Amino acid sequence: MHRLKLFIPGPTEVAQEVLEAMARPPIGHRTPEAKELILTVSGQVREMLRTRQTVLLSTSSATGLMEAAIRNLVRRKVLCTSCGAFGKRWYEIALANGKEAELVHFPEGKPVDPEVIDRKLAQGGFEAVTFVHNETSTGVISPLEAMAEVVRHHPDVLLLVDAVTSMGAVPIAFDELGLDVCLASVQKALALPPGFAICVVSDRALERAAKVDARGYYFDFLEMARRAAEGQTPITPSLPHLFGLRVQLQRILTEGMEARYQRHLRMARLVQDWARQRLALFAEESSLSPTVTAVDTMGRFPPRELIQYARQHGFLVASGYGPLKDRTFRIAHMGELQEADLKELLQCLESFLSSRS
Ligand SMILES: Cc1ncc(COP(=O)(O)O)c(C=O)c1O
């Protein structure tokens, strides 16, 4: 069967070279070769995120690391910011782990407002604040720099960032911004198959973790960091992902981070212009995501009909997330995709719209 080209917000298309690297026979995960592999990948992540701090490589999806961040860094109370499904996920994780959590939710389609968060943090009692950089469910990017600035005014509060659909596509300068956790799974803008996640953890976050009990076993940041310093992971890692990451991160760095950010913006603009002309954008104009666009169908047709049409023509487009299913569909423009791919997709969607008018 002909394979569908992926325009969903993960998993995304993977380069052949990366697939081939992942198909290599396994090596012993405690060998010098594995150590070199882990140190190389960690160094590449540091370069990409402009940091000198600790990189943790996790054989899990991003949600595992979201839970880890809560368990390791929150003793009692966390503030969870949200403007969509993934912001709420962090709140649910905190509650599921027996933490006190407060949710500040902004309307879908709008970003998190750091000024509101500043006032909330000023009330005191929060050890950390969670923040989703790019809300995949609504196609909204929230202002990371402004958020980091706000959190800097509250010296005891850690800033935990979900960069699942922004890492590798949108600038993130971890050290300059003073972030404490920045995590992502690899099946999004980093363009590897799913099953692995990476995060950077600050020194001060690790100091905090040392004061937290019941950090868990699989995701104990202190143990992960101790082993990372030795070029190891506490458990048997997914070696195919490490092989793939070494090749893919090199491809990313060779493309050049700035060139990569610009390519994502150009792809986003193509889709946004089309959506603006032909239908409508769900997210507000000032916070349109560079990696995923939620298109509002304005009730003109059920989104599933467009998705079905695209599928018949070889393209996989995403439905709206949760309650937005009947009103929106989503086009991802990240990772390996190029402008030419988006043009091809939009031509197909255009013919769908013509067939209905
Ligand atoms: C913004 C965001 N956060 C978290 C997740 C969860 O990631 P994973 O499925 O890798 O656990 C996703 C998945 O789409 C996401 O888009």
Side-chain angles (χ1 to χ4, degrees), residues 38 40 59 64 66 68 71 111 135 139 156 189 199 203 209-210 213-214 239 254 258 264 278 299 310-311 316 330:
I38 288 169
T40 301
T59 300
M66 291 166 81
R71 289 194 68 146
E135 181 47 75
D156 296 332
C199 83
D203 295 341
D213 295 328
L239 289 161
T254 303
E258 195 47 44
H264 279 84
R278 306 293 277 128
R311 208 186 165 91
L316 191 63
R330 291 172 302 156

PDB file of all heavy atoms in Angstrom, residues 38 40 59 64 66 68 71 111 135 139 156 189 199 203 209-210 213-214 239 254 258 264 278 299 310-311 316 330:
ATOM      1  N   ILE A  38      26.355   8.247  23.491  1.00  0.00           N
ATOM      2  CA  ILE A  38      25.531   9.043  24.423  1.00  0.00           C
ATOM      3  C   ILE A  38      26.154  10.425  24.629  1.00  0.00           C
ATOM      4  O   ILE A  38      25.449  11.443  24.613  1.00  0.00           O
ATOM      5  CB  ILE A  38      25.360   8.284  25.762  1.00  0.00           C
ATOM      6  CG1 ILE A  38      24.417   7.096  25.536  1.00  0.00           C
ATOM      7  CG2 ILE A  38      24.848   9.198  26.874  1.00  0.00           C
ATOM      8  CD1 ILE A  38      24.345   6.105  26.679  1.00  0.00           C
ATOM      9  N   THR A  40      28.089  12.020  22.558  1.00  0.00           N
ATOM     10  CA  THR A  40      27.955  12.787  21.308  1.00  0.00           C
ATOM     11  C   THR A  40      26.552  13.378  21.202  1.00  0.00           C
ATOM     12  O   THR A  40      26.373  14.576  20.936  1.00  0.00           O
ATOM     13  CB  THR A  40      28.238  11.885  20.082  1.00  0.00           C
ATOM     14  OG1 THR A  40      29.553  11.368  20.215  1.00  0.00           O
ATOM     15  CG2 THR A  40      28.113  12.640  18.769  1.00  0.00           C
ATOM     16  N   THR A  59      14.261   6.837  27.425  1.00  0.00           N
ATOM     17  CA  THR A  59      13.528   5.891  26.583  1.00  0.00           C
ATOM     18  C   THR A  59      12.076   5.903  27.042  1.00  0.00           C
ATOM     19  O   THR A  59      11.639   5.088  27.861  1.00  0.00           O
ATOM     20  CB  THR A  59      14.172   4.497  26.674  1.00  0.00           C
ATOM     21  OG1 THR A  59      15.530   4.621  26.227  1.00  0.00           O
ATOM     22  CG2 THR A  59      13.450   3.493  25.787  1.00  0.00           C
ATOM     23  N   GLY A  64       6.309  10.927  29.818  1.00  0.00           N
ATOM     24  CA  GLY A  64       7.118  10.338  30.889  1.00  0.00           C
ATOM     25  C   GLY A  64       7.991  11.391  31.548  1.00  0.00           C
ATOM     26  O   GLY A  64       8.087  11.469  32.781  1.00  0.00           O
ATOM     27  N   MET A  66       7.431  14.628  31.478  1.00  0.00           N
ATOM     28  CA  MET A  66       6.570  15.626  32.152  1.00  0.00           C
ATOM     29  C   MET A  66       6.289  15.136  33.577  1.00  0.00           C
ATOM     30  O   MET A  66       6.391  15.887  34.546  1.00  0.00           O
ATOM     31  CB  MET A  66       5.243  15.795  31.385  1.00  0.00           C
ATOM     32  CG  MET A  66       5.399  16.455  30.031  1.00  0.00           C
ATOM     33  SD  MET A  66       3.923  16.275  28.998  1.00  0.00           S
ATOM     34  CE  MET A  66       2.879  17.588  29.637  1.00  0.00           C
ATOM     35  N   ALA A  68       8.093  12.999  35.223  1.00  0.00           N
ATOM     36  CA  ALA A  68       9.379  13.011  35.939  1.00  0.00           C
ATOM     37  C   ALA A  68       9.664  14.396  36.505  1.00  0.00           C
ATOM     38  O   ALA A  68      10.098  14.544  37.650  1.00  0.00           O
ATOM     39  CB  ALA A  68      10.494  12.594  34.980  1.00  0.00           C
ATOM     40  N   ARG A  71       7.548  14.938  39.585  1.00  0.00           N
ATOM     41  CA  ARG A  71       7.951  14.090  40.723  1.00  0.00           C
ATOM     42  C   ARG A  71       9.294  14.508  41.304  1.00  0.00           C
ATOM     43  O   ARG A  71       9.520  14.411  42.500  1.00  0.00           O
ATOM     44  CB  ARG A  71       8.054  12.630  40.273  1.00  0.00           C
ATOM     45  CG  ARG A  71       6.731  12.010  39.996  1.00  0.00           C
ATOM     46  CD  ARG A  71       6.859  10.532  39.906  1.00  0.00           C
ATOM     47  NE  ARG A  71       7.189   9.963  41.206  1.00  0.00           N
ATOM     48  CZ  ARG A  71       6.773   8.792  41.625  1.00  0.00           C
ATOM     49  NH1 ARG A  71       6.009   8.062  40.851  1.00  0.00           N
ATOM     50  NH2 ARG A  71       7.123   8.318  42.796  1.00  0.00           N
ATOM     51  N   PRO A 111      -2.761  32.666  23.678  1.00  0.00           N
ATOM     52  CA  PRO A 111      -1.563  32.158  24.369  1.00  0.00           C
ATOM     53  C   PRO A 111      -1.649  32.350  25.885  1.00  0.00           C
ATOM     54  O   PRO A 111      -2.551  33.029  26.374  1.00  0.00           O
ATOM     55  CB  PRO A 111      -0.455  33.044  23.800  1.00  0.00           C
ATOM     56  CG  PRO A 111      -1.148  34.344  23.508  1.00  0.00           C
ATOM     57  CD  PRO A 111      -2.561  34.010  23.120  1.00  0.00           C
ATOM     58  N   GLU A 135       1.378  25.035  21.917  1.00  0.00           N
ATOM     59  CA  GLU A 135       0.200  24.216  22.240  1.00  0.00           C
ATOM     60  C   GLU A 135      -0.311  23.565  20.947  1.00  0.00           C
ATOM     61  O   GLU A 135      -0.947  24.207  20.101  1.00  0.00           O
ATOM     62  CB  GLU A 135      -0.860  25.102  22.912  1.00  0.00           C
ATOM     63  CG  GLU A 135      -2.128  24.411  23.336  1.00  0.00           C
ATOM     64  CD  GLU A 135      -1.956  23.088  24.090  1.00  0.00           C
ATOM     65  OE1 GLU A 135      -1.587  23.099  25.279  1.00  0.00           O
ATOM     66  OE2 GLU A 135      -2.213  22.036  23.475  1.00  0.00           O
ATOM     67  N   GLY A 139      -2.630  25.106  17.912  1.00  0.00           N
ATOM     68  CA  GLY A 139      -1.729  25.814  16.999  1.00  0.00           C
ATOM     69  C   GLY A 139      -1.322  27.179  17.528  1.00  0.00           C
ATOM     70  O   GLY A 139      -1.200  28.148  16.761  1.00  0.00           O
ATOM     71  N   ASP A 156      12.567  31.502  43.782  1.00  0.00           N
ATOM     72  CA  ASP A 156      12.454  30.111  44.252  1.00  0.00           C
ATOM     73  C   ASP A 156      11.612  29.238  43.327  1.00  0.00           C
ATOM     74  O   ASP A 156      11.413  28.059  43.591  1.00  0.00           O
ATOM     75  CB  ASP A 156      11.833  30.080  45.661  1.00  0.00           C
ATOM     76  CG  ASP A 156      12.751  30.766  46.655  1.00  0.00           C
ATOM     77  OD1 ASP A 156      13.980  30.758  46.426  1.00  0.00           O
ATOM     78  OD2 ASP A 156      12.227  31.343  47.625  1.00  0.00           O
ATOM     79  N   ALA A 189       9.258  17.925  15.737  1.00  0.00           N
ATOM     80  CA  ALA A 189      10.145  18.690  14.860  1.00  0.00           C
ATOM     81  C   ALA A 189      11.541  18.081  14.763  1.00  0.00           C
ATOM     82  O   ALA A 189      12.310  18.415  13.868  1.00  0.00           O
ATOM     83  CB  ALA A 189      10.231  20.133  15.345  1.00  0.00           C
ATOM     84  N   CYS A 199      15.608  15.820  27.504  1.00  0.00           N
ATOM     85  CA  CYS A 199      15.387  17.080  28.213  1.00  0.00           C
ATOM     86  C   CYS A 199      16.681  17.632  28.770  1.00  0.00           C
ATOM     87  O   CYS A 199      17.657  16.901  28.978  1.00  0.00           O
ATOM     88  CB  CYS A 199      14.320  16.948  29.287  1.00  0.00           C
ATOM     89  SG  CYS A 199      14.791  16.307  30.841  1.00  0.00           S
ATOM     90  N   ASP A 203      21.193  23.112  36.736  1.00  0.00           N
ATOM     91  CA  ASP A 203      21.874  22.734  37.977  1.00  0.00           C
ATOM     92  C   ASP A 203      20.977  23.013  39.183  1.00  0.00           C
ATOM     93  O   ASP A 203      20.917  22.238  40.126  1.00  0.00           O
ATOM     94  CB  ASP A 203      23.186  23.523  38.130  1.00  0.00           C
ATOM     95  CG  ASP A 203      24.180  23.153  37.026  1.00  0.00           C
ATOM     96  OD1 ASP A 203      24.004  22.071  36.417  1.00  0.00           O
ATOM     97  OD2 ASP A 203      25.102  23.949  36.762  1.00  0.00           O
ATOM     98  N   ALA A 209      15.949  18.782  43.235  1.00  0.00           N
ATOM     99  CA  ALA A 209      15.590  17.353  43.240  1.00  0.00           C
ATOM    100  C   ALA A 209      16.205  16.642  44.446  1.00  0.00           C
ATOM    101  O   ALA A 209      15.583  15.735  45.028  1.00  0.00           O
ATOM    102  CB  ALA A 209      16.037  16.693  41.937  1.00  0.00           C
ATOM    103  N   ALA A 210      17.392  17.074  44.843  1.00  0.00           N
ATOM    104  CA  ALA A 210      18.073  16.428  45.972  1.00  0.00           C
ATOM    105  C   ALA A 210      17.277  16.602  47.268  1.00  0.00           C
ATOM    106  O   ALA A 210      17.463  15.846  48.224  1.00  0.00           O
ATOM    107  CB  ALA A 210      19.479  17.008  46.116  1.00  0.00           C
ATOM    108  N   ASP A 213      11.660  13.961  48.172  1.00  0.00           N
ATOM    109  CA  ASP A 213      11.569  12.518  48.430  1.00  0.00           C
ATOM    110  C   ASP A 213      10.709  11.865  47.354  1.00  0.00           C
ATOM    111  O   ASP A 213       9.969  12.539  46.656  1.00  0.00           O
ATOM    112  CB  ASP A 213      10.877  12.261  49.785  1.00  0.00           C
ATOM    113  CG  ASP A 213      11.724  12.794  50.926  1.00  0.00           C
ATOM    114  OD1 ASP A 213      12.963  12.778  50.788  1.00  0.00           O
ATOM    115  OD2 ASP A 213      11.136  13.252  51.923  1.00  0.00           O
ATOM    116  N   ALA A 214      10.792  10.563  47.285  1.00  0.00           N
ATOM    117  CA  ALA A 214       9.935   9.757  46.393  1.00  0.00           C
ATOM    118  C   ALA A 214       9.970  10.285  44.959  1.00  0.00           C
ATOM    119  O   ALA A 214       8.939  10.567  44.355  1.00  0.00           O
ATOM    120  CB  ALA A 214       8.499   9.723  46.929  1.00  0.00           C
ATOM    121  N   LEU A 239      18.702   1.864  21.830  1.00  0.00           N
ATOM    122  CA  LEU A 239      19.906   2.137  21.016  1.00  0.00           C
ATOM    123  C   LEU A 239      19.553   2.611  19.605  1.00  0.00           C
ATOM    124  O   LEU A 239      20.213   3.522  19.078  1.00  0.00           O
ATOM    125  CB  LEU A 239      20.795   0.898  20.982  1.00  0.00           C
ATOM    126  CG  LEU A 239      21.485   0.605  22.330  1.00  0.00           C
ATOM    127  CD1 LEU A 239      21.952  -0.837  22.386  1.00  0.00           C
ATOM    128  CD2 LEU A 239      22.643   1.557  22.570  1.00  0.00           C
ATOM    129  N   THR A 254      23.811  20.808  10.807  1.00  0.00           N
ATOM    130  CA  THR A 254      24.397  21.133   9.507  1.00  0.00           C
ATOM    131  C   THR A 254      23.473  22.059   8.702  1.00  0.00           C
ATOM    132  O   THR A 254      23.931  22.982   8.022  1.00  0.00           O
ATOM    133  CB  THR A 254      24.686  19.834   8.708  1.00  0.00           C
ATOM    134  OG1 THR A 254      25.543  19.029   9.512  1.00  0.00           O
ATOM    135  CG2 THR A 254      25.348  20.117   7.371  1.00  0.00           C
ATOM    136  N   GLU A 258      19.508  28.636  12.577  1.00  0.00           N
ATOM    137  CA  GLU A 258      18.791  29.812  12.086  1.00  0.00           C
ATOM    138  C   GLU A 258      18.052  29.482  10.778  1.00  0.00           C
ATOM    139  O   GLU A 258      16.881  29.849  10.601  1.00  0.00           O
ATOM    140  CB  GLU A 258      19.782  30.971  11.897  1.00  0.00           C
ATOM    141  CG  GLU A 258      19.146  32.323  11.732  1.00  0.00           C
ATOM    142  CD  GLU A 258      18.033  32.642  12.757  1.00  0.00           C
ATOM    143  OE1 GLU A 258      18.225  32.362  13.956  1.00  0.00           O
ATOM    144  OE2 GLU A 258      16.979  33.154  12.336  1.00  0.00           O
ATOM    145  N   HIS A 264      10.952  26.804   8.971  1.00  0.00           N
ATOM    146  CA  HIS A 264       9.678  26.537   9.646  1.00  0.00           C
ATOM    147  C   HIS A 264       8.733  27.733   9.529  1.00  0.00           C
ATOM    148  O   HIS A 264       7.532  27.568   9.309  1.00  0.00           O
ATOM    149  CB  HIS A 264       9.917  26.135  11.105  1.00  0.00           C
ATOM    150  CG  HIS A 264      10.305  24.689  11.244  1.00  0.00           C
ATOM    151  ND1 HIS A 264      11.593  24.242  11.090  1.00  0.00           N
ATOM    152  CD2 HIS A 264       9.548  23.587  11.462  1.00  0.00           C
ATOM    153  CE1 HIS A 264      11.615  22.920  11.213  1.00  0.00           C
ATOM    154  NE2 HIS A 264      10.393  22.501  11.442  1.00  0.00           N
ATOM    155  N   ARG A 278      -8.864  31.080   2.424  1.00  0.00           N
ATOM    156  CA  ARG A 278      -9.898  30.118   2.047  1.00  0.00           C
ATOM    157  C   ARG A 278     -10.844  29.755   3.178  1.00  0.00           C
ATOM    158  O   ARG A 278     -11.984  29.433   2.934  1.00  0.00           O
ATOM    159  CB  ARG A 278      -9.233  28.844   1.497  1.00  0.00           C
ATOM    160  CG  ARG A 278      -8.273  29.104   0.372  1.00  0.00           C
ATOM    161  CD  ARG A 278      -9.021  29.615  -0.857  1.00  0.00           C
ATOM    162  NE  ARG A 278      -9.579  28.513  -1.615  1.00  0.00           N
ATOM    163  CZ  ARG A 278     -10.846  28.442  -1.982  1.00  0.00           C
ATOM    164  NH1 ARG A 278     -11.683  29.383  -1.632  1.00  0.00           N
ATOM    165  NH2 ARG A 278     -11.284  27.421  -2.696  1.00  0.00           N
ATOM    166  N   GLY A 299     -17.684  25.979   9.980  1.00  0.00           N
ATOM    167  CA  GLY A 299     -18.931  25.220   9.816  1.00  0.00           C
ATOM    168  C   GLY A 299     -19.287  24.942   8.367  1.00  0.00           C
ATOM    169  O   GLY A 299     -20.401  24.527   8.066  1.00  0.00           O
ATOM    170  N   ALA A 310      -8.006  14.139   1.659  1.00  0.00           N
ATOM    171  CA  ALA A 310      -6.537  14.239   1.650  1.00  0.00           C
ATOM    172  C   ALA A 310      -5.921  12.839   1.714  1.00  0.00           C
ATOM    173  O   ALA A 310      -4.960  12.525   1.004  1.00  0.00           O
ATOM    174  CB  ALA A 310      -6.067  15.092   2.822  1.00  0.00           C
ATOM    175  N   ARG A 311      -6.497  12.019   2.531  1.00  0.00           N
ATOM    176  CA  ARG A 311      -6.018  10.642   2.707  1.00  0.00           C
ATOM    177  C   ARG A 311      -6.073   9.880   1.381  1.00  0.00           C
ATOM    178  O   ARG A 311      -5.137   9.173   1.014  1.00  0.00           O
ATOM    179  CB  ARG A 311      -6.943   9.992   3.734  1.00  0.00           C
ATOM    180  CG  ARG A 311      -6.338   8.914   4.520  1.00  0.00           C
ATOM    181  CD  ARG A 311      -7.397   8.250   5.387  1.00  0.00           C
ATOM    182  NE  ARG A 311      -6.827   7.006   5.834  1.00  0.00           N
ATOM    183  CZ  ARG A 311      -6.150   6.883   6.965  1.00  0.00           C
ATOM    184  NH1 ARG A 311      -6.040   7.874   7.794  1.00  0.00           N
ATOM    185  NH2 ARG A 311      -5.592   5.737   7.269  1.00  0.00           N
ATOM    186  N   LEU A 316      -1.699  12.621   5.028  1.00  0.00           N
ATOM    187  CA  LEU A 316      -2.358  12.484   6.325  1.00  0.00           C
ATOM    188  C   LEU A 316      -2.342  13.819   7.069  1.00  0.00           C
ATOM    189  O   LEU A 316      -1.281  14.336   7.435  1.00  0.00           O
ATOM    190  CB  LEU A 316      -1.680  11.395   7.173  1.00  0.00           C
ATOM    191  CG  LEU A 316      -2.457  10.983   8.428  1.00  0.00           C
ATOM    192  CD1 LEU A 316      -3.813  10.364   8.069  1.00  0.00           C
ATOM    193  CD2 LEU A 316      -1.660   9.991   9.271  1.00  0.00           C
ATOM    194  N   ARG A 330      -5.975  20.105  11.559  1.00  0.00           N
ATOM    195  CA  ARG A 330      -4.637  20.660  11.798  1.00  0.00           C
ATOM    196  C   ARG A 330      -3.641  20.183  10.747  1.00  0.00           C
ATOM    197  O   ARG A 330      -3.661  19.011  10.351  1.00  0.00           O
ATOM    198  CB  ARG A 330      -4.150  20.280  13.197  1.00  0.00           C
ATOM    199  CG  ARG A 330      -4.931  20.973  14.313  1.00  0.00           C
ATOM    200  CD  ARG A 330      -4.570  20.442  15.679  1.00  0.00           C
ATOM    201  NE  ARG A 330      -4.807  19.014  15.757  1.00  0.00           N
ATOM    202  CZ  ARG A 330      -4.206  18.190  16.593  1.00  0.00           C
ATOM    203  NH1 ARG A 330      -3.300  18.646  17.435  1.00  0.00           N
ATOM    204  NH2 ARG A 330      -4.487  16.902  16.602  1.00  0.00           N
TER     205      ARG A 330
END
